[in-house]
C-alpha cells in the first residue's frame, strides 16, 4: 500500500470511528430537561436565539435554581460561551418550525446530540489520533483504548446531556493534540490552535484555566516563539470570557462564585453551598469528602474502574522508561490534573449535586485514559493482564451504561444527609432502571419500553464493539 492509499485508509478509519460513537450517542441522548443544570443551559440558548439576550427571564426554563440576580434580571450561572456555541443549532431548528414551546423533546434531543454528541465523538477521534501519532501503539490497541475511553468511563453518560464537562474535556484533548504537534513541528499555527482550545476549555469550565501555565511551559521549552503565540491566543479568549462576565454580572469575577448575586428571595445557594466558596468544617471532613469523591459512593474510580489501568500504565511508563516524548509532557498534565481535582476536593461540598458519580471529573477523563496505551505489551503477552483488563473493562462498560439511564441521577437525601452519607449513584440508577422496567410492565408504557429497549440495544452494541476490538489484538503470545 502506497502512502496515498495509507492516508486514505486512515482518514476512512477516523471517519468510521467518529460515526460509531456519534450513532451510539444518538441511541441514548436524552430528550428531556430534567435538572436545574439542563434548565439553566436551555434557558440561555432559548434567550439568545429568541430574545437576543443572556437574560433568561422570558425563557420557559427560567424556574431553574441555577441562576443569579443582577440589575433586576435573572441570568444563568453557566458561562455563556457553551450556549453561544449551541445556539446556531436551535436557530436552524426554529427556522424550520421546531421550537422549545411546541417541540421540547425533539429540540432538546437534537441540540444535545449535535452539540455534545458530535463534540464528544470528535474528542474520541482526536484521542485515538494522539495514541497513534505520539506513541508506538498498534492500530488494534489504539482502537481498544479508544473504545474503552468512550464507553467504559463517565464519558458515555455525560455525552448524552448538555453539560460543560464533555465540552471542556474535548477542548483540552484538542489543545493537547496541537501542543504535541507544535512541539514536533514548531509551526506557529499549532501553538495558536492549542492556545485557543485550552483557553476555551477554561472559559467553559473555569478550573480548566489551570492547564494554561503548564501548556505554556511545555511550548516555551521547545520554542519561545511558540510560547508567545500560545499566550496571545489565550489572551484573546480569556479577554472575551472576562468581557462576558462584566456584561452579565458587573464584575470580572465568575458569577457562579460571586456571592452577592445569589442573595435574592428564594435562592437555593449561599456561600455555605456555592462551589468555590463552600468550606469544610475540619480536616476530617475534607478526608471523608475526598474518599467519597475518589473511591467511595460518588468515587471517580468506583464509577470508572478502568482508570485503575491508567495508574498501572503510568507506573509502567516510568518503570520501563517508555518514551513519552510524552513523559515530561504527561508529568505536567498530571500535575494540572492533581490541582484540578484538589480544588474540587477543598472548595466544594456537594459531590457535584444531582449527577452520576462526580460530573466535574469528566473534563479530565480522556487525559487520565492516555497512560493505558503503555500497557499494550503486557496485555498482548500476559494472560493474567489480559483477563484482568477485559474483566474490568466489561464491569466499567456496565457501570457506564447504568449511568446512561439517568446521568443527572436523583439523590436520596437532603443536602445535609448527602454530606454525611452520599448516595451511591450506581445503585440509585439501578433502582431507576428497575422502576422504569416495572412501569413499562405494569402500565404498558410505550415510552418506558422504548427507553429500556434503547439501553439494552446499545449495551449489546458496545459489548460487541469491545469484543471485536479485543479479538483483533490476536491471541496472547506467551502466557504467565
Amino acid at each position: 500500500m502506497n502512502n496515498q492509499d495509507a492516508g486514505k485508509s486512515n482518514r476512512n478509519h477516523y471517519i468510521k470511528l467518529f460515526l460509531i460513537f456519534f450513532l451510539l450517542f444518538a441511541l441514548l441522548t436524552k430528550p428531556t430537561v430534567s435538572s436545574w443544570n439542563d434548565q439553566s443551559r436551555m434557558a440561555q440558548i432559548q434567550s439568545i436565539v429568541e430574545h437576543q439576550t443572556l437574560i433568561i427571564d422570558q425563557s420557559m426554563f427560567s424556574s431553574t435554581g441555577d441562576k443569579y440576580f443582577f440589575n433586576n434580571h435573572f441570568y444563568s450561572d453557566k458561562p455563556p460561551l457553551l450556549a453561544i456555541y449551541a445556539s446556531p443549532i436551535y436557530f436552524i431548528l426554529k427556522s424550520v418550525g421546531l421550537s422549545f414551546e411546541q417541540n421540547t423533546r425533539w429540540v432538546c434531543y437534537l441540540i444535545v446530540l449535535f452539540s455534545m454528541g458530535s463534540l464528544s465523538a470528535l474528542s474520541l477521534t482526536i484521542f485515538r489520533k494522539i495514541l497513534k501519532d505520539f506513541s508506538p501503539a498498534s492500530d488494534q490497541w489504539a482502537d481498544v483504548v479508544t473504545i474503552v475511553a468512550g464507553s467504559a468511563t463517565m464519558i458515555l453518560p455525560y455525552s448524552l446531556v448538555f453539560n460543560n464537562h464533555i465540552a471542556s474535556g474535548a477542548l483540552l484533548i484538542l489543545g493537547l493534540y496541537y501542543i504535541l504537534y507544535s512541539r514536533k513541528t514548531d509551526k506557529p499555527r499549532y501553538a495558536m490552535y492549542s492556545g485557543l482550545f485550552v483557553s476555551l476549555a477554561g472559559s467553559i469550565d473555569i478550573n480548566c484555566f489551570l492547564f494554561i501555565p503548564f501548556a505554556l511551559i511545555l511550548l516555551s521549552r521547545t520554542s519561545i516563539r511558540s510560547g508567545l503565540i500560545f499566550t496571545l491566543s489565550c489572551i484573546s479568549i480569556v479577554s472575551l470570557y472576562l468581557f462576558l462576565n462584566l456584561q452579565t454580572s458587573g464584575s470580572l469575577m465568575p458569577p457562579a462564585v460571586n456571592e452577592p448575586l445569589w442573595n435574592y428571595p428564594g435562592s437555593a445557594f449561599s456561600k455555605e453551598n456555592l462551589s468555590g466558596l463552600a468550606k469544610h468544617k475540619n480536616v476530617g471532613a475534607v478526608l471523608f469528602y475526598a474518599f467519597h469523591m475518589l473511591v467511595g459512593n460518588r468515587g471517580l474510580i468506583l464509577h470508572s474502574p478502568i482508570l485503575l489501568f491508567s495508574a498501572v500504565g503510568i507506573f509502567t511508563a516510568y518503570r520501563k522508561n517508555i518514551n513519552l516524548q510524552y513523559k515530561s509532557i504527561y508529568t505536567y498534565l498530571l500535575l494540572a490534573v492533581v490541582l484540578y481535582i484538589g480544588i474540587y476536593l477543598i472548595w466544594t461540598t456537594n459531590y457535584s449535586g444531582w449527577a452520576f458519580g462526580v460530573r466535574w471529573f469528566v473534563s479530565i477523563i480522556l487525559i487520565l485514559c492516555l497512560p493505558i496505551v503503555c500497557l499494550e505489551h503486557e496485555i498482548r503477552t500476559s494472560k493474567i493482564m489480559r483477563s484482568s483488563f477485559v474483566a474490568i473493562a466489561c464491569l466499567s462498560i456496565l457501570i457506564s451504561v447504568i449511568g446512561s439511564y439517568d446521568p443527572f441521577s436523583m439523590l436520596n437525601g437532603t443536602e445535609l444527609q448527602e454530606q454525611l452519607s452520599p448516595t451511591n449513584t450506581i445503585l440509585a440508577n439501578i433502582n431507576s432502571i428497575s422502576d422504569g422496567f416495572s412501569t413499562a410492565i405494569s402500565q404498558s408504557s410505550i415510552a418506558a419500553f422504548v427507553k429500556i429497549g434503547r439501553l439494552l440495544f446499545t449495551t449489546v452494541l458496545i459489548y460487541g464493539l469491545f469484543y471485536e476490538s479485543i479479538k483483533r489484538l490476536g491471541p496472547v503470545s506467551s502466557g504467565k
Side-chain angles (χ1 to χ4, degrees), residues 208-255:
C208 289
F209 279 134
L210 282 170
F211 288 86
I212 290 179
F214 292 97
L216 177 59
I217 292 170
L218 286 171
L219 288 170
S220 298
R221 288 179 62 185
T222 303
S223 164
I224 295 299
R225 181 184 66 171
S226 294
L228 288 173
I229 293 171
F230 174 86
T231 301
L232 291 173
S233 60
C234 285
I235 287 173
S236 64
I237 300 298
V238 172
S239 297
L240 174 61
Y241 169 77
L242 294 174
F243 171 77
L244 289 170
N245 284 351
L246 190 62
Q247 291 298 306
T248 58
S249 69
S251 170
L252 297 177
M253 183 186 301

Side-chain angles (χ1 to χ4, degrees), residues 254-271:
V257 294
N258 192 343
E259 184 193 352
L261 298 176
W262 297 86
N263 293 331
Y264 60 85
S267 173
F269 297 95
S270 68
K271 68 178 181 179

Side-chain angles (χ1 to χ4, degrees), residues 77 234 323 370 379 388:
D77 68 328
C234 285
N323 178 24
L370 286 171
I379 301 297
S388 300

Side-chain angles (χ1 to χ4, degrees), residues 3 18 54 98 157 199 202 235 298 371 373 384 386 450-451 457:
N3 289 338
F18 174 88
L54 289 169
L98 295 174
S199 55
I235 287 173
R298 300 291 289 273
V373 76
I384 294 174
R386 183 180 291 208
V450 169
K451 188 174 182 180
F457 179 69

Side-chain angles (χ1 to χ4, degrees), residues 364-376:
I364 55 172
I365 280 184
L366 287 182
I367 292 175
L368 289 175
C369 284
L370 286 171
I372 298 176
V373 76
C374 300
L375 297 176
E376 179 171 10

Side-chain angles (χ1 to χ4, degrees), residues 40-177:
S40 186
R41 295 187 183 282
M42 293 303 170
Q44 275 185 321
I45 294 170
Q46 184 179 26
S47 298
I48 290 170
V49 173
E50 295 185 6
H51 308 292
Q52 296 76 55
T53 181
L54 289 169
I55 296 169
I56 65 169
D57 296 349
Q58 299 180 67
S59 169
M60 62 184 285
F61 305 109
S62 62
S63 60
T64 177
D66 286 357
K67 61 186 178 184
Y68 63 88
F69 197 65
F70 172 68
N71 275 355
N72 296 316
H73 295 289
F74 282 108
Y75 293 81
S76 167
D77 68 328
K78 316 303 179 187
L81 280 177
L82 189 58
I84 292 170
Y85 152 72
S87 291
I89 301 171
Y90 181 46
F91 177 81
I92 293 170
L93 293 175
K94 200 163 190 322
S95 299
V96 297
L98 295 174
S99 67
F100 276 116
E101 289 86 352
Q102 297 179 356
N103 316 95
T104 305
R105 291 177 65 86
W106 270 110
V107 168
C108 288
Y109 174 83
L110 292 171
I111 288 175
V112 173
L113 177 61
F114 285 103
S115 58
M116 297 297 104
S118 61
L119 194 56
S120 187
L122 175 63
S123 70
L124 289 161
T125 306
I126 296 298
F127 175 85
R128 201 264 187 190
K129 190 161 177 57
I130 290 173
L131 299 184
K132 278 300 300 171
D133 292 356
F134 298 97
S135 84
S138 66
D139 286 333
Q140 296 85 358
W141 181 239
D143 286 340
V144 171
V145 177
T146 304
I147 288 169
V148 163
S151 64
T153 69
M154 290 191 293
I155 294 289
L156 176 61
Y158 285 100
S159 297
L160 315 176
V161 289
F162 200 90
N163 65 96
N164 60 322
H165 315 295
I166 281 293
S168 57
L171 291 166
L172 284 178
I173 212 71
L174 281 163
L176 173 60
Y177 174 75

Side-chain angles (χ1 to χ4, degrees), residues 333-354:
L333 287 175
L334 203 55
L335 286 172
V337 165
V338 169
L339 285 174
Y340 180 94
I341 292 174
I343 285 176
Y344 280 115
L345 296 183
I346 295 171
W347 281 294
T348 69
T349 59
N350 70 347
Y351 301 99
S352 77
W354 283 33

